[in-house]
Amino acid sequence: DPEPVVRAAIAEAFELLSRSGDDGAVQPLPPPSAQRLHDCYGLVSHDDAAVRASALADLARSREPGVASLLVAGLEDPSHKVRARSVEGLCSHPVGSTLKRLLELMEDEEPEVRLACARALGVLGSGAAFTPLVLALADDFQVVREASAAALARLGGDRVVDELRAAARSWVPGSACLLEALESLDLGVMTEVT
């Protein structure tokens, strides 16, 4: 969908489904077949951004050598869909040189890319992500704020607790994701913010 609000809402719905506790609600896709992988290598330069994004997502689910370099290249694609799929793929194929670019992409104009970056930075767990993730706690899109809170909780530490407590005072009361992030860090904060 061309509207960032719609894309962010869909991403948020999938996130909520994955946290619903229903194991059948969201299941990972199986790795692509050998033929599909072969096709994907040619499709990463296709004219259609949706085709490029799909090819990169399939390649990311594989353990093929050389995938990381294609994902890194995808970070520079003009399409937000390709950038987002590339960010997601780099969680499975981390490359040390991409952290700086992921931090920069936390300021991407598209919420889908910022969401993917927040999640990736949480998975990668680098302390360098602290400031961009704290800034994203004030993002215009709730799903980005929540992913940033969850990523910060994975980083842990007193600074994170302080920032999440401050966010809890300004967010919509009862934000489940924020409360979960706080609870995962320090069970005592629940009475302060509820």
Side-chain angles (χ1 to χ4, degrees):
D1 193 282
E3 291 297 318
V5 174
V6 173
R7 289 192 309 273
I10 291 168
E12 182 176 7
F14 277 116
E15 177 70 17
L16 291 172
L17 275 174
S18 69
R19 291 190 309 208
S20 71
D22 180 359
D23 293 337
V26 178
Q27 296 181 3
L29 294 171
S33 68
Q35 180 60 48
R36 174 65 180 152
L37 285 175
H38 176 73
D39 294 345
C40 286
Y41 280 105
L43 295 174
V44 296
S45 59
H46 196 276
D47 289 341
D48 185 336
V51 172
R52 291 193 309 273
S54 177
L56 285 169
D58 282 349
L59 286 169
R61 289 195 329 272
S62 76
R63 292 289 174 211
E64 290 290 307
V67 168
S69 63
L70 294 172
L71 295 168
V72 170
L75 296 176
E76 306 308 322
D77 197 277
S79 166
H80 71 277
K81 291 181 184 302
V82 174
R83 291 192 309 275
R85 295 304 80 75
S86 295
V87 168
E88 292 165 358
L90 285 168
C91 290
S92 302
H93 299 272
V95 179
S97 62
T98 60
L99 178 62
K100 180 180 178 199
R101 185 66 180 124
L102 292 178
L103 295 173
E104 293 168 355
L105 285 171
M106 282 297 294
E107 296 180 19
D108 195 277
E109 65 187 32
E110 292 292 335
E112 186 176 355
V113 175
R114 296 191 306 273
L115 171 65
C117 282
R119 289 178 175 162
L121 291 170
V123 169
L124 297 175
S126 170
F130 177 79
T131 299
L133 289 170
V134 167
L135 294 173
L137 292 174
D139 196 276
D140 291 338
F141 290 86
Q142 180 177 345
V143 68
V144 176
R145 292 190 305 267
E146 290 179 347
S148 297
L152 282 165
R154 289 181 124 181
L155 294 179
D158 292 340
R159 293 186 322 158
V160 167
V161 172
D162 293 342
E163 293 296 339
L164 291 178
R165 281 180 173 158
R169 290 181 183 94
S170 63
W171 282 19
V172 174
S175 170
C177 184
L178 181 57
L179 294 176
E180 287 171 16
L182 283 164
E183 188 173 290
S184 73
L185 291 168
D186 179 357
L187 293 174
V189 301
M190 294 302 289
T191 56
E192 293 178 30
V193 296
T194 55

